[in-house]
Amino acid sequence: MFKKFSEKVRGEIAKAFEKHAKFISEMKSEGDTGTFEVIASTQGKDRDGEIVLQDGIDITNYLKNPVILFGHDYWSLPIGKATEVVKETDKMIIKGVFASAEANPIAQQVRKLYEEGILCAVSIGFIPKQYEGNVITQCELLELSFVPV
């Protein structure tokens, strides 16, 4: 009889844990959206000594295919997509969402590094159209990349 009782109790406890774990998992997925918001570009001087004027960045074609890459790797699958591009006088903000693990597992690795504050740099890929010295006055935005450096 004791053995039957303990098996029954064990079964009920297992069911309760299973139900609780499912509830916690559902709560996490509802609040865990995988979104990000980054300052994609500023009018500050970059490492090449160039300045990109924010009002000169053409986003028309980018908005047709708003890809987020890792490390400017144009040959690999995107790790996400931009959901909003906000151009201000001195900066451009991009909001987006990381691709699911099913679509691109690397996206979730990048996401985790971003969320942990380990990977916190981004860089725009663009085609310069017009210069005035070291100032890029017109360019076409191609993509945004999360980058390690």
Side-chain angles (χ1 to χ4, degrees):
M1 184 160 153
F2 182 70
K3 186 177 179 182
K4 280 186 177 181
F5 175 76
S6 56
E7 284 176 16
K8 181 180 178 187
V9 170
R10 187 177 330 149
E12 288 176 13
I13 290 171
K15 283 181 187 175
F17 275 119
E18 202 173 285
K19 185 178 179 181
H20 181 70
K22 184 178 179 201
F23 174 72
I24 295 295
S25 173
E26 287 173 353
M27 278 180 42
K28 185 175 180 185
S29 66
E30 284 179 11
D32 189 14
T33 61
T35 61
F36 61 85
E37 180 176 332
V38 295
I39 297 174
S41 181
T42 69
Q43 289 193 172
K45 193 178 284 189
D46 66 17
R47 289 185 179 172
D48 292 328
E50 297 174 321
I51 297 169
V52 179
L53 296 185
Q54 301 304 294
D55 62 354
I57 300 175
D58 181 0
I59 62 172
T60 306
N61 287 330
Y62 178 71
L63 294 176
K64 295 175 187 174
N65 186 37
V67 294
I68 307 297
L69 303 177
F70 178 71
H72 298 293
D73 184 352
Y74 288 49
W75 298 103
S76 293
L77 293 171
I79 62 165
K81 70 175 183 176
T83 56
E84 185 177 355
V85 178
V86 179
K87 287 176 62 176
E88 297 180 1
T89 305
D90 60 343
K91 64 184 171 185
M92 181 172 52
I93 299 168
I94 293 184
K95 298 177 185 182
V97 62
F98 288 102
S100 68
E102 294 81 14
N104 186 351
I106 292 171
Q108 291 302 307
Q109 291 177 311
V110 173
R111 173 186 174 184
K112 189 69 174 163
L113 290 167
Y114 169 74
E115 289 173 350
E116 291 180 4
I118 296 167
L119 188 62
C120 52
V122 294
S123 174
I124 59 171
F126 61 92
I127 299 170
K129 301 286 186 175
Q130 292 179 359
Y131 287 93
E132 287 180 14
N134 70 330
V135 178
I136 299 168
T137 58
Q138 299 289 317
C139 66
E140 179 184 346
L141 181 65
L142 300 176
E143 50 87 14
L144 173 75
S145 283
F146 279 82
V147 292
V149 179

